[in-house]
Amino acid sequence: MASPQQTDIWIQRDLAHCWHPFTPQALWGKEAEILMIESGKGVWLTDTLGRRYLDGNSSIWVNIHGHCHPHIVEAIRRQAGIICHSSYLGFAHGLASDLATRLCSYFPKDTLTRVFFSDDGSTAIESALKMAFQSRVQTPGEEHRRHFVAFSNCYHGDTMGAASLGGVGTFFDRFKGFGIEVTHVNSLDELRALSPEFIRSVTAVIIEPVIQGVNRMTPWPKGLLRDLRRFCDEQGIYLICDEVMTGFGRTGKLFACMNEGVIPDFLCCAKGLTSGYTPLAACLTTEAVFDKFIGACSENKTFYYGHSFTAHPIGCAAAMASLDVFENERVLENLPPKMQLLAELGAELERNNPWVSAVRSCGMILGIDVARADGTPFAQDDRAGEKACIAMRRHGLLTRPCTHDTIVLMPPLCITEEEIRFALRAIDAGIRDALPEL
Ligand SMILES: *Cc1c(COP(=O)(O)O)cnc(C)c1O
């Protein structure tokens, strides 16, 4: 544990030189104390002053099996002693071969058969977009398919291509005009209602399957994904599933699309792929897409895209170990009672806490909306969600709102039922501490 003096030095250095993501820096360090996280074990985080907190949002939606799981730590340690990084451009390595094979093995034979590795969710999305687009350009009769369709309020990452898909106005409106051409729809019916001529110009539809994350943790109607798959098949449109948040058990299945028996043309995963231990991402696709990039060099069909750390060996080692843990600890088999308890306690919170206006649950995820006790919404500048989450720290829970008034509970899958009860008590208490004052 660091001393209070050392902690203070780090905080001063942070204030002088650091810039945090998605953070209004004018309020940073003023609205709440800056916590310096020092270590983690299971679902628990400890700060430099020795205070313990339950990791209520899986360290920004990434952690799956808890912190410092011995099997994953050992795999990383072993790999670091062998080699940390080698180039995947021009060379291969065994861990990437094994990981790609294992990822494909979760899908029926001859469906998703190819894996393109990258670094994070945004670059997995960029790969899918570029593959989809380029495959059209170099396929006779498909050159006119240049448009992408995304859903309103979607979130697919922050690099320029991914951000131009983004449907959350606060984040993305100012970048309109940059990036790719995208049309947003609210529903499948709205997509169907677009002109046949437009529909023939669409290269791909992208969706966060089963639940939209950043959009206040909003589940889709049951069956929507299956109907969308059917529509895309009928119209010759690719389906891209953004499983960056939903992948690796969050919705109860290894991938969310498995809830509806859907196989997309592109499946992007990142966050939980390594159980959140290191950056690594993968874009899975079909042999049909892969084949469109085969040709003589002079045909220029190569996918000229990649990143320095593609298929990073330490990431691949962590991912293989994380998938071992799924099997060794029967992680998915043990989820149903936890999902049930989360849903029950979420509903109880909605009934009993006057500042909770709605709770949505999906698998191991809760979205908790707060409003004034008379039901009127808080203003953005009230920072109600943020203030409630800050108050929860005193009750031993760390999480963040995903809009100004939706609080997220998305713990690591290894959380126990007792810890789930602890988390819900902390959320209830934090809301009751902070919101009556607004
Ligand atoms: C987090 C997220 C991304 C972006 O992933 P990064 O690793 O932050 O680039 C994309 N899509 C969804 C659904 C996400 O939740």
Side-chain angles (χ1 to χ4, degrees):
M1 203 169 55
S3 65
Q5 293 75 16
Q6 179 61 60
T7 300
D8 199 50
I9 290 169
W10 284 331
I11 290 173
Q12 294 314 318
R13 288 178 179 169
D14 177 287
L15 287 169
H17 298 294
C18 301
W19 191 343
H20 293 262
F22 283 93
T23 301
Q25 289 281 160
L27 301 175
W28 180 243
K30 299 197 174 74
E31 197 172 37
E33 175 191 354
I34 296 173
L35 298 187
M36 291 274 165
I37 303 299
E38 189 171 69
S39 62
K41 187 81 197 153
V43 297
W44 297 94
L45 296 168
T46 303
D47 73 8
T48 46
L49 301 177
R51 295 170 295 194
R52 259 164 52 99
Y53 308 92
L54 196 149
D55 187 356
N57 77 345
S58 295
S59 295
I60 204 68
W61 312 0
V62 302
N63 193 287
I64 300 289
H65 302 304
H67 297 276
C68 284
H69 190 294
H71 184 66
I72 307 174
V73 171
E74 177 49 31
I76 292 172
R77 209 190 294 277
R78 190 180 339 111
Q79 186 55 38
I82 299 171
I83 186 171
C84 286
H85 176 65
S86 59
S87 173
Y88 207 58
L89 204 173
F91 306 99
H93 63 86
L95 277 166
S97 304
D98 288 346
L99 179 57
T101 305
R102 196 163 181 179
L103 289 172
C104 293
S105 78
Y106 297 120
F107 297 91
K109 198 169 174 306
D110 298 333
T111 55
L112 295 171
T113 53
R114 291 283 164 182
V115 179
F116 189 87
F117 289 109
S118 63
D119 306 341
D120 47 45
S122 303
T123 55
I125 298 292
E126 297 286 339
S127 331
L129 298 179
K130 289 191 172 171
M131 277 179 192
F133 189 89
Q134 189 179 334
S135 86
R136 300 300 194 180
V137 170
Q138 55 203 33
T139 304
E142 295 185 2
E143 303 92 332
H144 59 286
R145 288 193 176 270
R146 289 171 170 265
H147 279 84
F148 287 87
V149 170
F151 286 90
S152 308
N153 299 308
C154 65
Y155 177 82
H156 297 294
D158 293 323
T159 52
M160 224 51 192
S164 54
L165 297 169
V168 180
T170 337
F171 301 162
F172 302 121
D173 274 356
R174 76 200 71 190
F175 295 116
K176 281 227 157 72
F178 274 102
I180 58 171
E181 281 181 62
V182 55
T183 298
H184 288 103
V185 293
N186 277 301
S187 62
L188 180 52
D189 282 343
E190 227 179 275
L191 172 55
R192 286 200 179 102
L194 297 170
S195 75
E197 191 193 340
F198 176 81
I199 288 173
R200 279 193 295 275
S201 77
V202 174
T203 177
V205 178
I206 184 165
I207 187 168
E208 296 159 83
V210 178
I211 176 171
Q212 282 191 323
V214 169
N215 181 27
R216 325 181 81 189
M217 298 297 158
T218 305
W220 288 110
K222 272 216 169 53
L224 173 112
L225 188 65
R226 202 168 15 200
D227 294 346
L228 179 63
R229 174 73 273 187
R230 197 170 308 133
F231 173 82
C232 289
D233 283 342
E234 286 162 9
Q235 301 294 336
I237 295 172
Y238 291 136
L239 177 64
I240 305 175
C241 280
D242 177 350
E243 294 253 13
V244 174
M245 185 276 277
T246 53
F248 305 101
R250 290 287 177 207
T251 67
K253 302 273 187 205
L254 191 62
F255 293 102
C257 59
M258 293 171 172
N259 288 289
E260 302 207 359
V262 161
I263 300 165
D265 300 284
F266 299 89
L267 185 149
C268 302
C269 56
K271 289 189 169 107
L273 173 57
T274 61
S275 188
Y277 281 47
T278 79
L280 183 72
C283 171
L284 280 63
T285 189
T286 63
E287 214 61 14
V289 169
F290 180 76
D291 282 346
K292 294 184 181 213
F293 292 78
I294 305 295
C297 261
S298 54
E299 290 181 85
N300 209 18
K301 288 184 172 176
T302 301
F303 191 49
Y304 288 115
Y305 180 82
H307 294 282
S308 315
F309 291 121
T310 296
H312 197 279
I314 291 182
C316 291
M320 287 296 280
S322 173
L323 293 170
D324 292 343
V325 174
F326 269 103
E327 287 167 27
N328 299 344
E329 300 182 9
R330 300 175 58 79
V331 171
L332 296 176
E333 291 85 338
N334 292 329
L335 287 182
K338 301 183 195 184
M339 302 192 312
Q340 175 89 27
L341 183 63
L342 267 176
E344 276 167 25
L345 295 181
E348 194 179 304
L349 183 72
E350 182 179 349
R351 276 197 307 278
N352 297 340
N353 186 312
W355 295 275
V356 173
S357 55
V359 174
R360 290 170 296 282
S361 72
C362 174
M364 291 296 287
I365 306 165
L366 284 187
I368 299 158
D369 293 347
V370 292
R372 293 182 195 283
D374 65 8
T376 56
F378 288 108
Q380 194 179 343
D381 283 329
D382 288 332
R383 294 182 59 74
E386 189 69 29
K387 283 177 184 156
C389 290
I390 291 165
M392 288 168 204
R393 298 176 179 184
R394 280 200 305 276
H395 301 280
L397 181 91
L398 295 187
T399 188
R400 281 180 58 83
C402 68
T403 56
H404 71 277
D405 53 5
T406 301
I407 294 161
V408 176
L409 179 64
M410 190 194 296
L413 305 185
C414 65
I415 192 170
T416 63
E417 293 187 24
E418 193 185 324
E419 288 162 342
I420 291 174
R421 292 182 192 284
F422 175 94
L424 267 293
R425 281 197 302 273
I427 291 172
D428 185 45
I431 291 173
R432 286 173 191 274
D433 287 351
L435 299 196
E437 290 172 15
L438 295 180

